[in-house]
């Protein structure tokens, strides 16, 4: 996703600790998801969710009032002189009630609220496999991914995001990180942020946590964007120095497509995609000989399929080149992004605001109708006292297998 400011990142608190605490048991909310084929339809599976390790209570072993590090500065030097000592000195506790942190589930739906029991929660969650010990590894090259979403309570400045990250299935679980995926460890993305822990181990070298990132959905009720971000390294990678910058190993900006740039009446309350009501988002990833060719977006609402704005212009390497996504192309383009998608990526969902940039990159200027200050969290609180997003009916499988609906010819002619 677009770069968090340090102020926003601070809301995520600390990254995961290694030793497991006993103060609270980890209880993962269940979430039904579906895998689909054309021949057999969609088959439900009993998956679950885990909050990012940063949300868990983290403290030093012998003093629960002391933290083990801060965002952007690596682990505490006294508690973490080396990786092994760090694992002994730092403790991560389980979360028994996810509702306290703004996350609730019912069947195949998850509601994420910006505020939790103790104020701003800004939760980020990952999809666990049925065993709840590893992340569900989703392979999307040549496939499609579909979900329903309700963005009606996301005003200007908010972002309800659904995306893929090339994390490890076990979340870096090891002798120094016994919690692993079950405690939400091992996060990485194309922004390469420095956190106290890298893949669940004390980040003594203060490296950035980099990996391929596929932003399928970043949106509020007036703007949305799809944007793959590719890296030149496979899997999670600890960057240093120039590697972590815009000219380094990962594409920070991504190759983005936002319908507002071509049709200002397309995506909004009462629009062609009416964001005052729930709708279905379909994203297809056609491939040739195993190589990703493009990204195709469709919507379904009221039983009708709505083709993407500027649907005749494919989002492929030519599109990315023409629209100035130079880093995306430099680091591998669609072929590189498809490589990560073929290896398998982890589904992440989040709700957040941008205290530094007010989310202008998503919904202001050429990107959306919001003015420069509407995304200020102080303004958001006045407009919507309880920002939230609901993701449901999450399905993936063969292209054409995850959704149905009639083509809306009226909109096709516009």
């Amino acid at each position: 996703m677009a770069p968090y400011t340090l102020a926003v990142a601070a809301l995520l608190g600390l990254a995961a600790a290694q030793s497991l605490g006993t103060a609270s048991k980890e209880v993962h909310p269940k979430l039904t998801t579906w895998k689909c084929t054309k021949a057999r339809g969609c088959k439900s599976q009993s998956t679950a969710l885990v909050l990012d390790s940063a949300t868990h209570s983290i403290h030093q072993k012998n003093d629960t009032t002391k933290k083990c590090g801060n965002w952007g500065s690596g682990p505490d030097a006294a508690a973490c002189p080396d990786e092994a000592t760090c694992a002994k000195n730092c403790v991560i506790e389980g979360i028994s009630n996810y509702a306290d942190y703004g996350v609730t589930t019912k069947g195949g739906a998850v509601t994420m609220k910006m505020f939790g029991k103790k104020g701003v929660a800004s939760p980020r969650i990952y999809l666990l496999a049925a065993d709840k010990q590893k992340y569900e590894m989703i392979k999307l090259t040549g496939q499609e991914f579909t979900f329903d979403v309700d963005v009606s309570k996301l005003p200007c400045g908010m972002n309800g995001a659904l995306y893929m990250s090339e994390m490890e299935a076990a979340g870096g679980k090891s002798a120094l990180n016994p919690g692993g995926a079950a405690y939400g460890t091992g996060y990485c993305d194309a922004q390469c942020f420095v956190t106290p822990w890298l893949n669940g181990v004390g980040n003594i070298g203060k490296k950035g946590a980099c990996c391929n990132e596929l932003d399928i959905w970043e949106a509020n009720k007036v703007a949305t964007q799809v944007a793959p971000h590719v890296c030149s390294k496979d899997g999670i990678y600890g960057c240093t120095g120039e590697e972590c910058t815009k000219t380094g190993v990962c594409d920070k900006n991504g190759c983005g497509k936002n319908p507002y740039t071509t049709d200002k009446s397309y995506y909004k309350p009462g629009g062609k995609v009416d964001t005052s009501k729930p709708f279905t988002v379909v994203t297809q990833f056609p491939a040739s000989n195993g190589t990703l060719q493009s990204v195709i977006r469709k919507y379904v609402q009221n039983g009708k399929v709505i083709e993407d704005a500027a649907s005749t212009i494919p989002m492929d390497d030519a599109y990315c080149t023409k629209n100035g996504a130079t880093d995306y192309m430099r680091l591998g383009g669609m072929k590189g992004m498809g490589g990560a998608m073929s290896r398998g990526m982890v589904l992440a969902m989040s709700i957040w605001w941008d205290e530094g940039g007010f989310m202008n990159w998503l919904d202001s200027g050429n990107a959306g109708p919001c003015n420069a200050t509407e995304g200020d969290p102080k303004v958001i609180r006045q407009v919507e006292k309880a920002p939230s997003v609901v993701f449901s009916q999450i399905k993936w499988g063969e292209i054409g297998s995850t959704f149905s609906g009639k083509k809306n010819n009226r909109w096709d002619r516009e």
Side-chain angles (χ1 to χ4, degrees):
M1 59 184 65
Y4 279 51
T5 62
L6 289 181
V8 173
L11 294 175
L12 296 176
L14 304 175
Q18 271 58 66
S19 300
L20 304 183
T22 58
S24 180
K25 182 181 178 182
E26 184 73 19
V27 180
H28 300 119
K30 296 178 180 179
L31 181 73
T32 303
T33 56
W34 289 263
K35 288 185 178 180
C36 308
T37 64
K38 288 183 178 180
R40 299 181 181 178
C42 295
K43 182 179 180 182
S44 64
Q45 52 181 13
S46 300
T47 45
L49 298 171
V50 61
L51 275 160
D52 182 89
S53 55
T55 303
H56 290 66
S57 174
I58 300 166
H59 56 82
Q60 293 188 27
K61 186 175 183 179
N62 298 319
D63 190 341
T64 58
T65 66
K66 289 185 178 180
K67 300 178 180 179
C68 281
N70 292 294
W71 182 278
S73 61
D76 179 85
C80 298
D82 56 71
E83 294 177 354
T85 304
C86 196
K88 293 178 181 179
N89 288 344
C90 297
V91 176
I92 182 171
E93 303 287 356
I95 295 176
S96 58
N97 188 359
Y98 273 51
D100 289 346
Y101 299 87
V103 177
T104 56
T105 62
K106 182 177 181 181
V110 54
T111 299
M112 302 182 70
K113 299 178 180 179
M114 187 64 187
F115 301 112
K117 185 177 180 180
K118 297 181 180 180
V120 177
S122 188
R124 182 170 66 205
I125 52 178
Y126 311 122
L127 185 67
L128 289 170
D131 66 3
K132 300 181 183 180
Q133 296 301 308
K134 291 185 178 181
Y135 297 122
E136 180 78 13
M137 300 304 291
I138 300 175
K139 300 179 179 181
L140 288 178
T141 302
Q143 304 282 292
E144 72 183 14
F145 188 95
T146 296
F147 61 93
D148 290 357
V149 66
D150 185 344
V151 295
S152 61
K153 292 186 178 181
L154 292 179
C156 290
M158 290 301 304
N159 190 341
L162 182 150
Y163 61 107
M164 300 284 174
S165 170
E166 198 183 1
M167 300 157 64
E168 291 182 358
K173 188 172 184 177
S174 67
L176 299 182
N177 175 25
Y183 281 73
T185 69
Y187 180 71
C188 55
D189 61 30
Q191 304 309 320
C192 302
F193 291 122
V194 175
T195 59
W197 313 88
L198 179 61
N199 210 19
V201 175
N203 190 8
I204 309 304
K206 299 181 181 180
K207 297 179 179 180
C210 304
C211 67
N212 288 284
E213 173 188 350
L214 173 61
D215 292 339
I216 293 177
W217 183 253
E218 294 189 280
N220 51 44
K221 66 180 179 180
V222 297
T224 184
Q225 174 180 267
V226 55
H229 301 252
V230 71
C231 299
S232 61
K233 304 289 186 178
D234 294 350
I236 188 167
Y237 175 75
C239 70
T240 57
E242 290 297 317
E243 289 182 322
C244 303
T245 68
K246 185 180 182 299
T247 59
V249 298
C250 287
D251 166 31
K252 310 297 185 186
N253 293 331
C255 176
K257 191 175 186 182
N258 180 330
Y260 186 83
T261 61
T262 56
D263 186 347
K264 293 176 174 53
S265 66
Y266 181 84
Y267 178 94
K268 66 177 186 177
K272 296 176 181 177
V273 177
D274 183 359
T275 61
S276 68
K277 304 173 182 178
F279 53 90
T280 301
V281 181
V282 180
T283 313
Q284 299 174 328
F285 305 96
S288 176
N289 297 320
T291 300
L292 178 67
Q293 299 297 298
S294 63
V295 178
I296 298 172
R297 169 62 49 80
K298 300 176 187 288
Y299 299 90
V300 183
Q301 193 170 43
N302 299 323
K304 296 178 179 179
V305 177
I306 307 168
E307 297 296 330
D308 196 14
S311 60
T312 58
I313 303 173
M315 187 177 177
D316 53 15
D317 282 342
Y319 170 90
C320 296
T321 299
K322 183 178 180 180
N323 286 274
T326 54
D327 290 330
Y328 182 76
M329 295 307 300
R330 171 178 65 87
L331 293 165
M334 290 293 171
K335 182 178 180 180
M337 188 73 253
M341 293 163 61
S342 295
R343 290 188 293 271
M345 303 181 80
V346 176
L347 173 61
M349 292 170 277
S350 65
I351 179 172
W352 60 289
W353 58 31
D354 181 358
E355 291 186 354
F358 300 164
M359 212 71 73
N360 286 171
W361 61 270
L362 175 65
D363 59 23
S364 185
N366 292 329
C370 307
N371 66 37
T373 58
E374 280 183 280
D376 185 334
K378 299 188 206 60
V379 177
I380 293 173
R381 288 174 187 260
Q382 296 173 0
V383 174
E384 177 57 67
K385 296 187 181 300
S388 65
V389 63
V390 181
F391 294 112
S392 61
Q393 298 296 304
I394 296 171
K395 305 173 183 178
W396 63 95
E398 293 178 298
I399 291 177
S401 69
T402 67
F403 72 102
S404 62
K406 295 181 179 180
K407 194 171 184 180
N408 192 328
N409 293 322
R410 176 173 62 85
W411 288 338
D412 292 338
R413 291 195 299 269
E414 295 181 358

